[in-house]
Amino acid sequence: MSSSIGRPLRPALGALLTALVSLLTAVLLTAPQASAAPAAPVRVSAAPAETALARTALAKTAPAETAAAALTEVTNFGTNPSNLQMYLYVPDSVTAHPAVLVAVHYCTGSGPAMYSGTEYAALADRYGFIVVYPSVTRASKCFDVSSPQALSRGGGSDPVGIKSMVDWVTRTYGADTSRIFATGISSGAMMTNVLLGDYPDVFAAGAAFAGVPFGCFATTDGSEWNSACANGTVTHTPQEWGNLVRAAYPGYTGPRPRMQLWHGTEDATLRYPNFGEGIKQWTNVLGVSQTSAATDSPQAGWTRTRYGATGDQAPVESISLQGVGHNLVTGGMAARVLTFFGLDSTGPAPQPQPGGCRVAVTTSAWNTGLTASVTLTNTGTTSVNGWQLSFTLPSGQTITNGWGATYAPTTGTVTATNAAYNGTIAPGAAVTIGYQAGHSGNSGTPAAFTLNGTACTVT
């Protein structure tokens, strides 16, 4: 699939796409064994060189000089059978118990490329949710959406690693488990379908750009590529498509995630008939009629159809783009995804900001380490219900242990998220937390603290 997805199409890239598709038809599925990862998260200061072409109108719009938040790699996040990498974006404005969005890249892409080439990080700055960017390490840089392991809950391969990433974020940031979402482009769109099929109890909704239905790319010979599906010649009845999804998690009877599908009528990589097959599949899975509940044209050349309801959060929403090819993503589409998910202004509002706060911090240091005690006082007139205390560690310091809160990442700008027992701070009350850190000579204390985005007085 095209590495130019989400970027302007250039003739040279078109030739590259043709060669890449031919190559992928011969690629065998490989799942490298997980290797030992560094113990501490690594801050990513710049995206790899491959993402230079991805910096278009879709790129994150928050000015670099005003945004302290940055993309971070998280290692040792849990079971990871196919050696995926996990990249994380936590905005400075993150809400208490935030929603989580998994943004899945296209073939030949990466997590940092998806971060740089889409609008989700900028939207996270606005609405306070967390974005996870999984990244493939196998040679093709395509996600496994074809093997029997990938198409079964807990079966192994990429979906298991991505589920571990979600679990890590949920534990670390106290994320709202009812607001976990997935979106992706091309190979990432296929993975979005797979995640919603494998883990219907985890994901609330998905948005797939230029993908194929769950199970359409299935192969039995170890190949990553299914030409019949790519060419749009795999067809099933709605019931048959729905059965493929239900077979991924036998016996599951709970609610199913909603689905938003996007496709261009001139897609030459994953052809347009896959769009109709996807609608058949997800209307069946969600138990709604294939007769549309509402159809409109929110933009010239777009046909938006809703199934099962007429509102912004219908069970199934499809957007057909007339005359558009495979690299269909343009500016503003991500905002429409958030509307479907309920993560924009129509969704949960950010937590109320505290009226005031005060932080007192003391340290006890030795030659290579230190222990810090941090007392946070609510100086406002209303209770703080759910808190995150952010601060920047002095250069060379790395947190090795902590208590009273969960700390992430362990270097640079750190966010301490309340524990279950101390999430409420009444007016005039205080909580004390602490951490142990190693240092390379600078044993100083953080100079500034913010509580849920509000600056605190430091004493």
Side-chain angles (χ1 to χ4, degrees):
M1 279 146 287
S2 170
S3 62
S4 64
I5 297 166
R7 306 191 289 273
L9 184 63
R10 298 178 174 88
L13 291 183
L16 177 60
L17 170 62
T18 301
L20 177 60
V21 172
S22 297
L23 175 62
L24 286 176
T25 61
V27 173
L28 294 178
L29 175 65
T30 57
Q33 294 297 313
S35 57
V42 179
R43 180 164 297 282
V44 177
S45 57
E50 67 177 324
T51 67
L53 292 175
R55 292 189 175 94
T56 66
L58 297 181
K60 182 177 181 294
T61 57
E65 64 271 19
T66 62
L71 190 66
T72 299
E73 183 178 3
V74 177
T75 59
N76 296 331
F77 51 82
T79 304
N80 185 22
S82 54
N83 199 30
L84 298 177
Q85 291 175 288
M86 174 184 176
Y87 293 92
L88 187 70
Y89 184 76
V90 181
D92 293 332
S93 59
V94 66
T95 63
H97 310 299
V100 179
L101 174 61
V102 179
V104 195
H105 68 73
Y106 43 87
C107 273
T108 77
S110 68
M114 194 71 174
Y115 164 78
S116 296
T118 63
E119 298 171 295
Y120 295 113
L123 292 167
D125 288 336
R126 186 180 308 170
Y127 297 116
F129 58 87
I130 292 173
V131 191
V132 178
Y133 299 94
S135 196
V136 171
T137 58
R138 66 175 61 88
S140 68
K141 298 300 178 68
C142 297
F143 286 92
D144 174 16
V145 296
S146 57
S147 74
Q149 292 79 15
L151 297 173
S152 176
R153 177 186 177 85
S157 197
D158 297 345
V160 169
I162 295 174
K163 169 65 161 50
S164 294
M165 297 177 195
V166 171
D167 290 343
W168 186 93
V169 173
T170 299
R171 292 192 306 269
T172 304
Y173 291 95
D176 184 346
T177 56
S178 69
R179 295 192 296 143
I180 310 294
F181 304 92
T183 187
I185 304 168
S186 193
S187 180
M190 297 189 211
M191 178 52 70
T192 297
N193 278 265
V194 170
L195 291 172
L196 268 59
D198 286 357
Y199 298 103
D201 54 333
V202 173
F203 293 93
F209 288 81
V212 303
F214 179 100
C216 183
F217 239 59
T219 59
T220 58
D221 59 0
S223 173
E224 291 182 8
W225 188 258
N226 185 319
S227 294
C229 178
N231 289 331
T233 62
V234 175
T235 62
H236 291 294
T237 66
Q239 185 68 30
E240 289 169 343
W241 278 124
N243 287 344
L244 289 176
V245 173
R246 288 181 284 270
Y249 187 4
Y252 178 73
T253 58
R256 294 280 178 174
R258 297 178 298 109
M259 177 61 92
Q260 184 186 63
L261 301 167
W262 299 72
H263 221 106
T265 60
E266 301 304 313
D267 192 331
T269 303
L270 299 173
R271 294 189 179 275
Y272 187 69
N274 284 302
F275 180 60
E277 297 301 302
I279 294 170
K280 288 159 61 175
Q281 181 172 70
W282 289 102
T283 51
N284 180 266
V285 168
L286 286 156
V288 300
S289 173
Q290 282 192 271
T291 301
S292 65
T295 300
D296 63 0
S297 182
Q299 188 168 314
W302 292 18
T303 301
R304 178 173 62 187
T305 307
R306 290 166 170 167
Y307 301 88
T310 60
D312 287 337
Q313 282 88 52
V316 177
E317 180 175 275
S318 66
I319 302 95
S320 173
L321 292 89
Q322 182 64 39
V324 175
H326 191 56
N327 54 324
L328 57 81
V329 181
T330 58
M333 288 182 176
R336 294 180 183 273
V337 170
L338 292 201
T339 298
F340 180 74
F341 290 166
L343 291 181
D344 59 4
S345 58
T346 64
Q351 293 293 313
Q353 300 303 305
C357 51
R358 182 175 66 249
V359 171
V361 55
T362 58
T363 61
S364 176
W366 59 95
N367 57 343
T368 60
L370 61 89
T371 299
S373 176
V374 180
T375 298
L376 168 63
T377 302
N378 177 8
T379 60
T381 57
T382 59
S383 293
V384 174
N385 296 305
W387 53 264
Q388 292 186 320
L389 186 68
S390 297
F391 53 92
T392 300
L393 290 171
S395 178
Q397 291 188 14
T398 300
I399 294 176
T400 57
N401 188 29
W403 50 93
T406 301
Y407 300 82
T410 58
T411 60
T413 300
V414 177
T415 298
T417 302
N418 66 270
Y421 63 84
N422 63 5
T424 299
I425 311 175
V431 296
T432 297
I433 62 176
Y435 60 87
Q436 189 173 51
H439 68 81
S440 58
N442 185 350
S443 61
T445 61
F449 294 81
T450 60
L451 174 63
N452 291 355
T454 296
C456 300
T457 301
V458 180
T459 59

